[in-house]
mmCIF file of all heavy atoms in Angstrom:
data_model
loop_
_atom_site.group_PDB
_atom_site.id
_atom_site.type_symbol
_atom_site.label_atom_id
_atom_site.label_comp_id
_atom_site.label_asym_id
_atom_site.label_seq_id
_atom_site.Cartn_x
_atom_site.Cartn_y
_atom_site.Cartn_z
ATOM 1 N N VAL R 348 -43.293 22.833 21.399
ATOM 2 C CA VAL R 348 -41.978 23.396 21.722
ATOM 3 C C VAL R 348 -41.835 23.374 23.240
ATOM 4 O O VAL R 348 -42.722 23.840 23.957
ATOM 5 C CB VAL R 348 -41.836 24.844 21.213
ATOM 6 C CG1 VAL R 348 -40.512 25.452 21.672
ATOM 7 C CG2 VAL R 348 -41.951 24.894 19.694
ATOM 8 N N SER R 349 -40.734 22.819 23.732
ATOM 9 C CA SER R 349 -40.535 22.761 25.182
ATOM 10 C C SER R 349 -39.561 23.843 25.641
ATOM 11 O O SER R 349 -38.452 23.962 25.120
ATOM 12 C CB SER R 349 -40.048 21.377 25.620
ATOM 13 O OG SER R 349 -38.742 21.125 25.165
ATOM 14 N N LEU R 350 -40.038 24.642 26.599
ATOM 15 C CA LEU R 350 -39.245 25.658 27.276
ATOM 16 C C LEU R 350 -39.293 25.333 28.771
ATOM 17 O O LEU R 350 -39.938 24.367 29.174
ATOM 18 C CB LEU R 350 -39.817 27.055 27.012
ATOM 19 C CG LEU R 350 -40.082 27.425 25.550
ATOM 20 C CD1 LEU R 350 -40.748 28.799 25.467
ATOM 21 C CD2 LEU R 350 -38.788 27.415 24.754
ATOM 22 N N VAL R 351 -38.649 26.138 29.602
ATOM 23 C CA VAL R 351 -38.686 25.900 31.041
ATOM 24 C C VAL R 351 -39.206 27.154 31.741
ATOM 25 O O VAL R 351 -38.783 28.271 31.429
ATOM 26 C CB VAL R 351 -37.289 25.539 31.604
ATOM 27 C CG1 VAL R 351 -37.407 25.144 33.074
ATOM 28 C CG2 VAL R 351 -36.654 24.417 30.815
ATOM 29 N N THR R 352 -40.110 26.958 32.681
ATOM 30 C CA THR R 352 -40.657 28.087 33.428
ATOM 31 C C THR R 352 -39.598 28.799 34.250
ATOM 32 O O THR R 352 -38.731 28.167 34.872
ATOM 33 C CB THR R 352 -41.792 27.618 34.358
ATOM 34 O OG1 THR R 352 -42.210 28.728 35.167
ATOM 35 C CG2 THR R 352 -41.341 26.478 35.269
ATOM 36 N N GLY R 353 -39.695 30.121 34.267
ATOM 37 C CA GLY R 353 -38.771 30.906 35.070
ATOM 38 C C GLY R 353 -38.955 30.724 36.560
ATOM 39 O O GLY R 353 -38.058 31.065 37.343
ATOM 40 N N GLU R 354 -40.117 30.195 36.976
ATOM 41 C CA GLU R 354 -40.338 29.934 38.394
ATOM 42 C C GLU R 354 -39.252 29.020 38.958
ATOM 43 O O GLU R 354 -38.847 29.156 40.107
ATOM 44 C CB GLU R 354 -41.715 29.292 38.600
ATOM 45 C CG GLU R 354 -42.877 30.239 38.324
ATOM 46 C CD GLU R 354 -44.226 29.559 38.498
ATOM 47 O OE1 GLU R 354 -44.332 28.697 39.393
ATOM 48 O OE2 GLU R 354 -45.151 29.888 37.751
ATOM 49 N N ALA R 355 -38.778 28.088 38.127
ATOM 50 C CA ALA R 355 -37.747 27.149 38.573
ATOM 51 C C ALA R 355 -36.414 27.840 38.831
ATOM 52 O O ALA R 355 -35.561 27.314 39.551
ATOM 53 C CB ALA R 355 -37.555 26.059 37.522
ATOM 54 N N PHE R 356 -36.244 29.035 38.261
ATOM 55 C CA PHE R 356 -34.986 29.777 38.398
ATOM 56 C C PHE R 356 -35.138 30.987 39.316
ATOM 57 O O PHE R 356 -34.242 31.824 39.383
ATOM 58 C CB PHE R 356 -34.503 30.238 37.019
ATOM 59 C CG PHE R 356 -34.343 29.132 36.019
ATOM 60 C CD1 PHE R 356 -35.354 28.861 35.104
ATOM 61 C CD2 PHE R 356 -33.197 28.355 35.978
ATOM 62 C CE1 PHE R 356 -35.210 27.843 34.172
ATOM 63 C CE2 PHE R 356 -33.050 27.342 35.052
ATOM 64 C CZ PHE R 356 -34.070 27.075 34.145
ATOM 65 N N GLY R 357 -36.288 31.088 39.982
ATOM 66 C CA GLY R 357 -36.512 32.197 40.896
ATOM 67 C C GLY R 357 -37.038 33.451 40.247
ATOM 68 O O GLY R 357 -37.068 34.516 40.878
ATOM 69 N N SER R 358 -37.508 33.368 38.981
ATOM 70 C CA SER R 358 -38.042 34.530 38.269
ATOM 71 C C SER R 358 -39.352 34.147 37.584
ATOM 72 O O SER R 358 -39.358 33.742 36.414
ATOM 73 C CB SER R 358 -37.034 35.039 37.235
ATOM 74 O OG SER R 358 -35.873 35.519 37.856
ATOM 75 N N PRO R 359 -40.465 34.264 38.306
ATOM 76 C CA PRO R 359 -41.736 33.721 37.818
ATOM 77 C C PRO R 359 -42.334 34.419 36.611
ATOM 78 O O PRO R 359 -43.305 33.902 36.039
ATOM 79 C CB PRO R 359 -42.655 33.846 39.043
ATOM 80 C CG PRO R 359 -42.048 34.909 39.889
ATOM 81 C CD PRO R 359 -40.577 34.795 39.686
ATOM 82 N N ASN R 360 -41.790 35.561 36.200
ATOM 83 C CA ASN R 360 -42.333 36.249 35.023
ATOM 84 C C ASN R 360 -41.662 35.824 33.716
ATOM 85 O O ASN R 360 -42.036 36.310 32.652
ATOM 86 C CB ASN R 360 -42.186 37.764 35.164
ATOM 87 C CG ASN R 360 -43.150 38.343 36.174
ATOM 88 O OD1 ASN R 360 -44.143 37.703 36.534
ATOM 89 N ND2 ASN R 360 -42.881 39.550 36.635
ATOM 90 N N CYS R 361 -40.695 34.914 33.817
ATOM 91 C CA CYS R 361 -39.871 34.604 32.654
ATOM 92 C C CYS R 361 -39.949 33.128 32.263
ATOM 93 O O CYS R 361 -40.457 32.294 33.012
ATOM 94 C CB CYS R 361 -38.417 34.968 32.942
ATOM 95 S SG CYS R 361 -38.153 36.727 33.312
ATOM 96 N N VAL R 362 -39.445 32.836 31.070
ATOM 97 C CA VAL R 362 -39.211 31.457 30.642
ATOM 98 C C VAL R 362 -37.784 31.372 30.117
ATOM 99 O O VAL R 362 -37.221 32.367 29.652
ATOM 100 C CB VAL R 362 -40.200 30.991 29.545
ATOM 101 C CG1 VAL R 362 -41.634 31.011 30.052
ATOM 102 C CG2 VAL R 362 -40.058 31.823 28.276
ATOM 103 N N ARG R 363 -37.207 30.175 30.204
ATOM 104 C CA ARG R 363 -35.867 29.986 29.652
ATOM 105 C C ARG R 363 -35.942 29.223 28.346
ATOM 106 O O ARG R 363 -36.604 28.191 28.239
ATOM 107 C CB ARG R 363 -34.959 29.218 30.616
ATOM 108 C CG ARG R 363 -33.491 29.243 30.182
ATOM 109 C CD ARG R 363 -32.618 28.306 30.993
ATOM 110 N NE ARG R 363 -32.801 26.904 30.600
ATOM 111 C CZ ARG R 363 -32.040 25.897 31.029
ATOM 112 N NH1 ARG R 363 -31.060 26.142 31.882
ATOM 113 N NH2 ARG R 363 -32.267 24.654 30.642
ATOM 114 N N LEU R 364 -35.241 29.742 27.368
ATOM 115 C CA LEU R 364 -35.144 29.121 26.046
ATOM 116 C C LEU R 364 -33.681 28.885 25.735
ATOM 117 O O LEU R 364 -32.865 29.812 25.799
ATOM 118 C CB LEU R 364 -35.779 30.035 24.996
ATOM 119 C CG LEU R 364 -35.725 29.633 23.528
ATOM 120 C CD1 LEU R 364 -36.949 30.219 22.800
ATOM 121 C CD2 LEU R 364 -34.454 30.126 22.822
ATOM 122 N N SER R 365 -33.327 27.652 25.422
ATOM 123 C CA SER R 365 -31.952 27.331 25.030
ATOM 124 C C SER R 365 -31.816 27.422 23.521
ATOM 125 O O SER R 365 -32.664 26.894 22.784
ATOM 126 C CB SER R 365 -31.595 25.912 25.492
ATOM 127 O OG SER R 365 -30.398 25.475 24.864
ATOM 128 N N TYR R 366 -30.770 28.097 23.055
ATOM 129 C CA TYR R 366 -30.546 28.121 21.609
ATOM 130 C C TYR R 366 -29.388 27.203 21.208
ATOM 131 O O TYR R 366 -28.744 27.382 20.166
ATOM 132 C CB TYR R 366 -30.358 29.543 21.076
ATOM 133 C CG TYR R 366 -29.257 30.388 21.676
ATOM 134 C CD1 TYR R 366 -27.980 30.391 21.123
ATOM 135 C CD2 TYR R 366 -29.509 31.229 22.752
ATOM 136 C CE1 TYR R 366 -26.984 31.196 21.646
ATOM 137 C CE2 TYR R 366 -28.522 32.036 23.287
ATOM 138 C CZ TYR R 366 -27.257 32.020 22.724
ATOM 139 O OH TYR R 366 -26.262 32.822 23.247
ATOM 140 N N ALA R 367 -29.179 26.170 22.019
ATOM 141 C CA ALA R 367 -28.237 25.111 21.645
ATOM 142 C C ALA R 367 -28.975 24.118 20.736
ATOM 143 O O ALA R 367 -29.221 22.967 21.081
ATOM 144 C CB ALA R 367 -27.697 24.415 22.884
ATOM 145 N N ALA R 368 -29.355 24.612 19.579
ATOM 146 C CA ALA R 368 -30.106 23.829 18.592
ATOM 147 C C ALA R 368 -29.763 24.375 17.216
ATOM 148 O O ALA R 368 -29.175 25.456 17.091
ATOM 149 C CB ALA R 368 -31.608 23.930 18.856
ATOM 150 N N SER R 369 -30.145 23.648 16.183
ATOM 151 C CA SER R 369 -29.815 24.077 14.824
ATOM 152 C C SER R 369 -30.624 25.306 14.433
ATOM 153 O O SER R 369 -31.693 25.581 15.005
ATOM 154 C CB SER R 369 -30.108 22.956 13.832
ATOM 155 O OG SER R 369 -31.509 22.737 13.719
ATOM 156 N N GLU R 370 -30.127 26.047 13.448
ATOM 157 C CA GLU R 370 -30.847 27.237 12.980
ATOM 158 C C GLU R 370 -32.244 26.863 12.487
ATOM 159 O O GLU R 370 -33.218 27.578 12.769
ATOM 160 C CB GLU R 370 -30.060 27.916 11.862
ATOM 161 C CG GLU R 370 -30.763 29.151 11.318
ATOM 162 C CD GLU R 370 -29.957 29.886 10.259
ATOM 163 O OE1 GLU R 370 -28.712 29.795 10.271
ATOM 164 O OE2 GLU R 370 -30.599 30.555 9.415
ATOM 165 N N GLU R 371 -32.355 25.765 11.793
ATOM 166 C CA GLU R 371 -33.664 25.335 11.286
ATOM 167 C C GLU R 371 -34.629 25.072 12.445
ATOM 168 O O GLU R 371 -35.793 25.502 12.407
ATOM 169 C CB GLU R 371 -33.514 24.076 10.438
ATOM 170 C CG GLU R 371 -34.837 23.572 9.867
ATOM 171 C CD GLU R 371 -34.682 22.282 9.072
ATOM 172 O OE1 GLU R 371 -33.540 21.787 8.945
ATOM 173 O OE2 GLU R 371 -35.707 21.766 8.588
ATOM 174 N N GLU R 372 -34.149 24.355 13.473
ATOM 175 C CA GLU R 372 -35.002 24.075 14.633
ATOM 176 C C GLU R 372 -35.400 25.366 15.338
ATOM 177 O O GLU R 372 -36.553 25.522 15.769
ATOM 178 C CB GLU R 372 -34.273 23.154 15.608
ATOM 179 C CG GLU R 372 -34.171 21.712 15.162
ATOM 180 C CD GLU R 372 -33.440 20.863 16.184
ATOM 181 O OE1 GLU R 372 -32.354 21.275 16.641
ATOM 182 O OE2 GLU R 372 -33.964 19.794 16.530
ATOM 183 N N LEU R 373 -34.464 26.285 15.482
ATOM 184 C CA LEU R 373 -34.748 27.536 16.176
ATOM 185 C C LEU R 373 -35.779 28.364 15.423
ATOM 186 O O LEU R 373 -36.734 28.888 16.023
ATOM 187 C CB LEU R 373 -33.461 28.338 16.365
ATOM 188 C CG LEU R 373 -32.447 27.728 17.336
ATOM 189 C CD1 LEU R 373 -31.101 28.425 17.233
ATOM 190 C CD2 LEU R 373 -32.964 27.796 18.771
ATOM 191 N N ARG R 374 -35.602 28.469 14.112
ATOM 192 C CA ARG R 374 -36.568 29.234 13.310
ATOM 193 C C ARG R 374 -37.965 28.609 13.389
ATOM 194 O O ARG R 374 -38.970 29.299 13.592
ATOM 195 C CB ARG R 374 -36.117 29.305 11.853
ATOM 196 C CG ARG R 374 -34.944 30.237 11.598
ATOM 197 C CD ARG R 374 -34.631 30.335 10.113
ATOM 198 N NE ARG R 374 -33.498 31.180 9.825
ATOM 199 C CZ ARG R 374 -33.541 32.521 9.736
ATOM 200 N NH1 ARG R 374 -34.705 33.138 9.928
ATOM 201 N NH2 ARG R 374 -32.466 33.208 9.468
ATOM 202 N N THR R 375 -38.012 27.288 13.239
ATOM 203 C CA THR R 375 -39.299 26.589 13.266
ATOM 204 C C THR R 375 -39.957 26.706 14.631
ATOM 205 O O THR R 375 -41.158 26.991 14.748
ATOM 206 C CB THR R 375 -39.109 25.096 12.906
ATOM 207 O OG1 THR R 375 -38.524 25.002 11.611
ATOM 208 C CG2 THR R 375 -40.441 24.362 12.920
ATOM 209 N N ALA R 376 -39.170 26.491 15.681
ATOM 210 C CA ALA R 376 -39.714 26.529 17.040
ATOM 211 C C ALA R 376 -40.282 27.899 17.377
ATOM 212 O O ALA R 376 -41.403 28.013 17.906
ATOM 213 C CB ALA R 376 -38.632 26.142 18.043
ATOM 214 N N ILE R 377 -39.544 28.952 17.080
ATOM 215 C CA ILE R 377 -39.998 30.293 17.445
ATOM 216 C C ILE R 377 -41.192 30.705 16.592
ATOM 217 O O ILE R 377 -42.109 31.396 17.076
ATOM 218 C CB ILE R 377 -38.835 31.295 17.355
ATOM 219 C CG1 ILE R 377 -37.762 30.911 18.395
ATOM 220 C CG2 ILE R 377 -39.319 32.727 17.595
ATOM 221 C CD1 ILE R 377 -36.465 31.672 18.281
ATOM 222 N N ASP R 378 -41.243 30.267 15.361
ATOM 223 C CA ASP R 378 -42.420 30.518 14.522
ATOM 224 C C ASP R 378 -43.657 29.835 15.117
ATOM 225 O O ASP R 378 -44.746 30.418 15.176
ATOM 226 C CB ASP R 378 -42.163 30.015 13.103
ATOM 227 C CG ASP R 378 -43.340 30.309 12.164
ATOM 228 O OD1 ASP R 378 -43.676 31.499 12.000
ATOM 229 O OD2 ASP R 378 -43.923 29.340 11.618
ATOM 230 N N ARG R 379 -43.480 28.592 15.573
ATOM 231 C CA ARG R 379 -44.591 27.873 16.212
ATOM 232 C C ARG R 379 -45.059 28.594 17.476
ATOM 233 O O ARG R 379 -46.261 28.708 17.746
ATOM 234 C CB ARG R 379 -44.158 26.458 16.582
ATOM 235 C CG ARG R 379 -43.977 25.497 15.425
ATOM 236 C CD ARG R 379 -43.647 24.130 16.030
ATOM 237 N NE ARG R 379 -43.219 23.155 15.051
ATOM 238 C CZ ARG R 379 -42.815 21.928 15.387
ATOM 239 N NH1 ARG R 379 -42.790 21.569 16.666
ATOM 240 N NH2 ARG R 379 -42.434 21.064 14.459
#
């Protein structure tokens, strides 16, 4: 599963997750 480090956005304690994806992909990705 690919996410983006928050360091790139000036917040090193966080990660960014886009939910511009299908419900099936979102459920599977977050379970993984």
Side-chain angles (χ1 to χ4, degrees):
V348 175
S349 68
L350 309 176
V351 186
T352 174
E354 291 178 35
F356 304 97
S358 295
N360 287 342
C361 300
V362 298
R363 191 189 76 171
L364 177 151
S365 167
Y366 57 91
S369 69
E370 179 177 333
E371 180 182 359
E372 286 180 312
L373 292 168
R374 287 185 182 278
T375 301
I377 296 171
D378 183 60
R379 288 184 190 176

